[in-house]
Amino acid sequence: MEVGCLLLFRTLSSPLIRPPLRRHSWPVPSSPLLRASSSPPPLPSPPSAYPQGAYRGPKPRRDLVGDWVSNNDGFVRSLPIFVGGLSLLAVLLNRAFSGIAPVTDASSSQSRADILTLALAVTNLLSGLVWLSIRPKYISPVVPQGVDCKRINSKIANYAVLELLWAWESLSATTCCRSLVVVHGGFCLLQIGVAAESLTEVGEAVAVDVHKLIQSSVYRNVAESGKQSYLANLSLYPAKSELPFLPTTTQAVILQPLGNSGIAIIGGDTIRGFTDLDQAWITLIAEKLDVTLSKSQDN
């Protein structure tokens, strides 16, 4: 009896012995780099786990209130008028059917509350009228009037050409940019997009006079400050006459310095079309172009 109890106590106190897990037999990799790794590659997810084409990443948050307000802009603007009108009507009905004297009495708390409610109702009515009268003006893009141009300086290296074309494709695809002129080291390296049509040759673009551009006040101001200059509404600036190679309907221009020896002139088709994020991004692109073009000219 004692021997049986002792065996039973040892059995319960000893850890459970689990059978070894079965592992998949992976083929031996042929690469020496892969052969040094002891852990097998992860198992692929079964095709039935996720539906085909389903997005499995984090989903952006939606502002339901903001979306509803933007979709019902007219109703939201007229909402204070409805609230003020209903409040005014409720005060008058309460005054008429509650048995209170129609004459206001300064010593009566009900009269003071009614006066305060009437003031708030009138304020709502006026706010609604102001909201309906003041609406944000939608600025539509203006189609540039000119000719298509693609002039690339043949003296720069191929990698610099690819860099310039990448900058143009990026700006034209993500911003309101429709014209791009790059001047660096005293030469016009790129003129692409829509350009002004020449008066002497039909169908030809106006060439960039680099010497005249460098002598202009636009170039000198940007070169001296070393900072980006944004002409949000080009028609209000006299500098438009110093940029004759841009289309006549250019709405906005960004003058971006390229280091100490160049400038990038970016023309847009929308007034105030370049956002703060676009301006910061253009500054980073200009720094990258300056390094590439300087290296190309040194070589």
Side-chain angles (χ1 to χ4, degrees):
M1 183 67 179
E2 295 179 356
V3 175
C5 293
L6 182 60
L7 292 176
L8 180 60
F9 175 75
R10 290 183 177 179
T11 304
L12 294 176
S13 60
S14 60
L16 296 177
I17 301 176
R18 298 180 180 179
L21 298 177
R22 295 183 179 180
R23 298 184 178 272
H24 296 274
S25 56
W26 301 96
V28 180
S30 57
S31 174
L33 297 177
L34 294 178
R35 194 177 295 119
S37 177
S38 59
S39 59
L43 290 174
S45 302
S48 59
Y50 303 104
Q52 185 176 3
Y55 176 70
R56 300 190 296 271
K59 296 182 179 180
R61 297 180 179 179
R62 295 185 58 185
D63 188 1
L64 299 180
V65 177
D67 295 343
W68 184 85
V69 171
S70 61
N71 295 331
N72 302 274
D73 181 71
F75 175 74
V76 173
R77 289 180 179 275
S78 59
L79 187 60
I81 296 179
F82 295 119
V83 175
L86 292 176
S87 301
L88 184 61
L89 181 61
V91 172
L92 295 178
L93 291 178
N94 179 64
R95 195 77 180 182
F97 295 102
S98 61
I100 305 174
V103 181
T104 58
D105 185 6
S107 62
S108 175
S109 60
Q110 182 64 37
S111 297
R112 292 195 298 269
D114 291 344
I115 292 175
L116 181 59
T117 306
L118 288 174
L120 294 177
V122 173
T123 303
N124 281 331
L125 289 173
L126 295 177
S127 300
L129 293 176
V130 171
W131 284 12
L132 289 177
S133 61
I134 300 177
R135 291 177 177 269
K137 183 179 179 181
Y138 175 73
I139 301 177
S140 58
V142 178
V143 179
Q145 296 180 1
V147 295
D148 292 335
C149 176
K150 187 177 182 180
R151 294 173 178 172
I152 304 175
N153 197 316
S154 59
K155 296 181 180 180
I156 57 178
N158 292 332
Y159 63 87
V161 174
L162 296 177
E163 189 93 358
L164 291 171
L165 294 178
W166 166 82
W168 159 248
E169 293 175 358
S170 302
L171 292 174
S172 60
T174 57
T175 66
C176 65
C177 172
R178 296 297 173 265
S179 306
L180 176 62
V181 174
V182 177
V183 176
H184 196 273
F187 298 95
C188 180
L189 303 183
L190 178 67
Q191 183 182 7
I192 195 170
V194 183
E197 186 176 3
S198 176
L199 299 178
T200 58
E201 300 179 8
V202 180
E204 292 293 330
V206 176
V208 179
D209 190 347
V210 178
H211 179 72
K212 186 176 181 180
L213 177 63
I214 293 177
Q215 298 299 325
S216 63
S217 60
V218 173
Y219 184 91
R220 285 188 281 105
N221 292 336
V222 174
E224 292 175 0
S225 63
K227 297 180 181 180
Q228 181 187 101
S229 178
Y230 180 29
L231 309 180
N233 191 354
L234 186 61
S235 60
L236 302 179
Y237 294 90
K240 183 177 181 180
S241 59
E242 299 179 356
L243 306 172
F245 44 84
L246 293 180
T248 56
T249 55
T250 302
Q251 302 297 304
V253 170
I254 287 183
L255 305 171
Q256 175 63 49
L258 300 176
N260 298 324
S261 58
I263 188 175
I265 303 174
I266 304 168
D269 60 354
T270 308
I271 298 177
R272 295 184 294 273
F274 294 100
T275 63
D276 295 338
L277 183 61
D278 296 337
Q279 298 175 47
W281 185 48
I282 289 173
T283 303
L284 296 178
I285 291 180
E287 294 177 359
K288 191 173 187 298
L289 285 178
D290 179 45
V291 174
T292 303
L293 296 178
S294 300
K295 180 181 178 181
S296 175
Q297 291 180 357
D298 292 341
N299 295 335

